[in-house]
Amino acid sequence: MTGKDEAELSRLLRAAIAGDERAYADFLHRIAALVRGFVRRKIVQGGVDPEDVVQETLLAIHVKRHTWRSDAPVLPWVYAIARFKLIDAFRRRGRRIEVEIDEIAETFAEPETETVSERDINRALDGLPAAQRSVVSSISVDGQSIGETAAKLGISETAVRVSLHRGLAAIAKRFGRQ
């Protein structure tokens, strides 16, 4: 940006403040390009849309144009506003980093289903008395109901419940869980 460009922008803004709409449109068009370049150089990582910062800067310039001193250079004033709008955008973003889910989807592993081998089941049932082993195996391994287990083993449902409770408690105690 040369001194001639600075002088032209100052002239355009003075004319705009005086009411020249064409000069104001030209000023905003030129300033938007400068601010866009400035903001894009400052944004290294994603999460802040440069165009949002440009638009917020142009809006602030429009609202605060009366604060510009006509004897001062216009570009430092514009870049100060752009810098503050950029800081505001980073503050709104916070410390979050936004990543598209498609970019990292392949890094997520499918959840593994927990499987129990027959050896593990036999190991758990080994220390139980035969009656408790039959009840726990029928309900927990084979998936039968209390009524079905009672009929199959020829005992009452209450006896099945008691055997199941005692058997599961013994397994939990054996493997260190209370």
Side-chain angles (χ1 to χ4, degrees), residues 128 132 136 161-171:
L128 297 179
Q132 285 179 356
V136 171
R161 285 187 182 93
V162 169
S163 289
L164 177 65
H165 175 73
R166 288 181 181 167
L168 293 176
I171 291 171

Side-chain angles (χ1 to χ4, degrees), residues 56 78 99 153:
E56 288 181 27
V78 167
V99 178
L153 298 176

Side-chain angles (χ1 to χ4, degrees), residues 3-119:
K4 184 179 177 184
D5 295 327
E6 171 70 41
E8 177 63 13
L9 289 171
S10 294
R11 184 193 67 73
L12 287 171
L13 185 54
R14 271 193 291 281
I17 291 172
D20 185 344
E21 291 181 23
R22 176 177 253 146
Y24 192 45
D26 192 20
F27 172 79
L28 289 177
H29 181 73
R30 290 180 186 201
I31 288 298
L34 294 172
V35 170
R36 191 171 289 113
F38 170 78
V39 170
R40 285 184 178 159
R41 285 190 304 274
K42 298 293 183 185
I43 297 175
V44 179
Q45 291 182 337
V48 174
D49 184 5
E51 204 54 40
D52 287 345
V53 177
V54 170
Q55 294 304 314
E56 288 181 27
T57 301
L58 292 177
L59 182 61
I61 288 170
H62 174 73
V63 171
K64 297 293 184 179
R65 68 186 181 274
H66 68 279
T67 66
W68 174 67
R69 289 187 357 239
S70 61
D71 60 332
V74 73
L75 285 176
W77 178 76
V78 167
Y79 285 131
I81 293 171
R83 189 172 44 256
F84 287 123
K85 291 302 174 184
L86 186 61
I87 290 168
D88 289 346
F90 281 124
R91 283 184 182 148
R92 274 192 306 276
R93 184 194 74 186
R95 295 195 178 263
R96 302 176 277 146
I97 296 177
E98 296 177 6
V99 178
E100 291 292 324
I101 193 71
D102 294 336
E103 293 176 17
I104 60 169
E106 65 275 356
T107 62
F108 293 119
E110 290 292 322
E112 293 182 21
T113 56
E114 190 174 318
T115 58
V116 179
S117 69
E118 192 173 325
R119 183 181 64 120

Side-chain angles (χ1 to χ4, degrees), residues 104-153:
I104 60 169
E106 65 275 356
T107 62
F108 293 119
E110 290 292 322
E112 293 182 21
T113 56
E114 190 174 318
T115 58
V116 179
S117 69
E118 192 173 325
R119 183 181 64 120
D120 292 334
I121 293 170
N122 289 334
R123 186 173 150 233
L125 296 173
D126 274 348
L128 297 179
Q132 285 179 356
R133 186 176 332 130
S134 298
V135 169
V136 171
S137 177
S138 176
I139 293 172
S140 298
V141 177
D142 299 336
Q144 294 185 346
S145 70
I146 290 179
E148 292 169 333
T149 301
K152 180 175 98 175
L153 298 176

